[in-house]
Amino acid sequence: MRTIIICAMLAILTGTGCRQDKTKKVTLERVVSVKVYEVDSMAYKIPVRVSGMLASRKEMKLSFKTGGLIREIYVTEGATVGKGQMLATLDLSEIRAQVQQATVGMEKAARDLQRAENLYRDSVATLEQYQDAKTAWELARSRKQIADFNLAHSRIRAPTRGKILKILVETSEITGTGHPVILFASTADEWVVRVPLADKDIVKLAPGDTAQVKMDAFPDELFHAEVSELGAIADPVTGTYETELLLINDHPHFRTGYIARAVIYPAETEKDCYVPMEALLEASDNQADVFVVEDGRAIRRRVRTGILVGNGVIVTGGLKAGEWVVTEGSSYLEQDTKVQVVHSIKEALQ
């Protein structure tokens, strides 16, 4: 009888212990209320950010056709000039003497030709003599044209309205044929921003892509531009490609050399997942963690992040459209925590 009583008591105690263990397990299985966001895919553009320098689209190195002694320079650096305005001239003594020499030579050749023509008509001179005289006259006339051309280009005039960027010589110096004398920028043409682009950036762009430009000289103004020319050959020193951004709206106080910062928007778009910033945990080095809700539980997952868009970020890997990520309540979650969704959102992306 004593043995039966002892066995019964052990059975009761064992059953009570099992019920207590089960109750304890149910108590440890906590449920966290969270807000979630349904991952969506969106098309976006990766802007190219670069710095460059403002310049006139047409810059010229003006020079004399012939070499000689510089007699006068009529302008100063930074001056604004009109079309046809005299900028510089050579001492014309030698060049005018050459014109006079060519003029006299042509006059003599003309007299010789007239004499040979009369003699040939009277059968005194041969046809060959007449033809030689005619050739000599044509040569003399050509020399006269050359001398006149050199005289005309022994003065430098502004080809269009523009600005004097740099004067490369001084009065009384001797300059050579075609040696640059004045660096000239036309203001009759458009203004451009010349920027150096790396190879990974230039492949994203095409002529006509839009850009926005800011300049330190005009901190409160935003200038709109478009890609007008893409570099075809890399600079041997920097390895970059010089690209021109044509400014659509200019400013009357533009000057060559202003520093500009541009953001270029390629026409080509990419498509990836988008999540709100609140969903990211421990973001660094283009990586972050998120909690994804799967079968009522929070699963921590590492994702690759891209550019910021609005109040969120582009995710380039680790998520798929249609998955749910936790946006509120993440601080109370651990791996495989059971969750209860109290609110879900899906932003309308533009």
Side-chain angles (χ1 to χ4, degrees), residues 297-311:
R297 295 184 178 275
I299 307 300
R300 193 173 183 121
R301 189 185 299 175
R302 175 59 59 94
V303 297
R304 293 193 306 272
T305 57
I307 65 171
L308 301 178
V309 178
N311 296 321

Side-chain angles (χ1 to χ4, degrees), residues 115-127 129-130:
R115 187 180 304 108
E117 183 178 2
N118 294 337
L119 294 175
Y120 175 69
R121 191 178 293 116
D122 295 336
S123 301
V124 176
T126 64
L127 176 60
Q129 290 173 326
Y130 169 68

Side-chain angles (χ1 to χ4, degrees), residues 286-349:
N286 294 328
Q287 290 186 331
D289 288 348
V290 297
F291 276 109
V292 182
V293 176
E294 296 181 0
D295 299 326
R297 295 184 178 275
I299 307 300
R300 193 173 183 121
R301 189 185 299 175
R302 175 59 59 94
V303 297
R304 293 193 306 272
T305 57
I307 65 171
L308 301 178
V309 178
N311 296 321
V313 64
I314 294 295
V315 174
T316 59
L319 284 177
K320 296 184 297 183
E323 293 187 302
W324 295 90
V325 294
V326 176
T327 57
E328 290 188 28
S330 300
S331 58
Y332 304 102
L333 297 178
E334 296 178 355
Q335 178 69 3
D336 207 36
T337 301
K338 191 172 183 179
V339 297
Q340 178 183 3
V341 176
V342 296
H343 183 63
S344 62
I345 57 172
K346 183 173 181 179
E347 294 183 0
L349 299 175

Side-chain angles (χ1 to χ4, degrees), residues 30 65-66 122 126 143 157 168 181 195 231 269 314 342:
R30 63 192 180 95
K65 170 63 173 62
T66 60
D122 295 336
T126 64
R143 285 192 288 268
R157 296 182 182 273
L168 306 174
V181 173
V195 297
T269 60
I314 294 295
V342 296

